[in-house]
Amino acid sequence: MPNQINLSHNSVYEFQLKELSGFIRPRGHYHGLTLFANGHPITRPGTCTINLEHYCARGDGSGCFVPRNQCQTTYNVDSDRLSISFEETETWKVKSMMTFQLQDDDCIDVSFDFAFSQSYARFEAFIASYFYEQRIPFLRVGEEWIQPHIEPKQQLFFTRDDDGSELVVDGRWDWLKERGLCAENDGRKYSLPIIVAWNQENHRALIQMVEFTKCSAVSVNTFAYAQDLSLIGEDVYAGQQVSAKVRLLYREVRDLEAVIEWYEAWDTDNQTTKIQ
């Protein structure tokens, strides 16, 4: 455990790794990470990266902004990690905890733990990250890295499989229409659940990666320049607990193929399920 990393409290919890610095905001409409690299913003000011934003389930629609706005929250802090707990609400019977753990090498591990006291069909937790630079990230689709074309009012999803594609259009995102927005399934499947916000001018990238079996979709929009993760995507049952892990890396990237090596060195449990 790195001894030199300490979270200091000043209404938010500040940290400094190597090139990566920032703070963790444990409460409020936006919670999670606000990141800087060598003093320059990664996260859009006033927002957060890795923000537990919505709950979704088939037949129950979308718990739009439930974790942000409706859950009572508490948090615990240690020298190298901070955990935020979200209590159940009257309509969403899930207790969630997200734990941010700081590592030495510009790496932040985030674990999500969900405990259900009610069953839900095809439950998803939607994780949003808002970026300062208005760049389209790179995604791993088939055997290629792509920067997808995204319409101005579109949330574009790349799912793991056909079941994940059905979730995009089962009604859970209909509330976007009320805001003049839409959710669309690209049709192509991701081959690894990785989003790479890569600045090819300075060769630096913020990389988000998720356990393969715990990520039903990755998605991107340009109306908020958000890069998002849909976790779980399975039926869950009263009394069940489900966990998912996310890793953030800030690295020099000269060749995106290196990102695959970093991913596979991390998500070692699921090698046989990945599409190469």
Side-chain angles (χ1 to χ4, degrees), residues 159-190:
T159 64
R160 180 182 56 209
D161 49 33
D162 289 341
D163 186 71
S165 298
E166 292 178 9
L167 303 186
V168 179
V169 296
D170 71 356
R172 64 188 60 205
W173 296 110
D174 285 355
W175 62 271
L176 286 173
K177 297 176 184 177
E178 301 171 6
R179 301 174 181 229
L181 308 172
C182 66
E184 297 287 348
N185 178 35
D186 179 85
R188 292 172 289 181
K189 307 298 191 292
Y190 75 69

Side-chain angles (χ1 to χ4, degrees), residues 35-190:
L35 299 174
F36 300 84
N38 299 312
H40 298 289
I42 295 174
T43 306
R44 196 178 78 209
T47 66
C48 280
T49 300
I50 307 296
N51 182 253
L52 178 56
E53 190 156 287
H54 310 301
Y55 295 142
C56 305
R58 179 165 292 164
D60 292 88
S62 177
C64 177
F65 298 114
V66 167
R68 277 195 194 179
N69 296 340
Q70 299 180 31
C71 291
Q72 179 182 350
T73 62
T74 56
Y75 67 94
N76 292 299
V77 64
D78 204 341
S79 62
D80 69 330
R81 71 189 67 191
L82 185 148
S83 297
I84 309 172
S85 296
F86 302 81
E87 298 299 325
E88 295 182 353
T89 71
E90 186 174 336
T91 54
W92 286 89
K93 302 303 182 182
V94 52
K95 182 175 181 178
S96 304
M97 182 169 69
M98 54 194 304
T99 300
F100 300 89
Q101 183 173 359
L102 306 175
Q103 309 289 355
D104 276 318
D105 191 19
D106 284 338
C107 171
I108 301 174
D109 285 324
V110 189
S111 60
F112 292 86
D113 298 285
F114 304 98
F116 300 91
S117 60
Q118 177 178 315
S119 299
Y120 292 99
R122 295 298 189 263
F123 174 86
E124 287 181 317
F126 187 81
I127 313 302
S129 294
Y130 298 90
F131 282 78
Y132 177 76
E133 292 188 341
Q134 297 184 353
R135 298 176 186 269
I136 303 297
F138 287 80
L139 307 177
R140 184 69 176 178
V141 174
E143 296 184 357
E144 298 180 317
W145 289 99
I146 68 165
Q147 283 182 291
H149 172 75
I150 304 168
E151 297 296 333
K153 297 183 178 181
Q154 182 183 69
Q155 181 85 29
L156 187 61
F157 286 80
F158 294 79
T159 64
R160 180 182 56 209
D161 49 33
D162 289 341
D163 186 71
S165 298
E166 292 178 9
L167 303 186
V168 179
V169 296
D170 71 356
R172 64 188 60 205
W173 296 110
D174 285 355
W175 62 271
L176 286 173
K177 297 176 184 177
E178 301 171 6
R179 301 174 181 229
L181 308 172
C182 66
E184 297 287 348
N185 178 35
D186 179 85
R188 292 172 289 181
K189 307 298 191 292
Y190 75 69

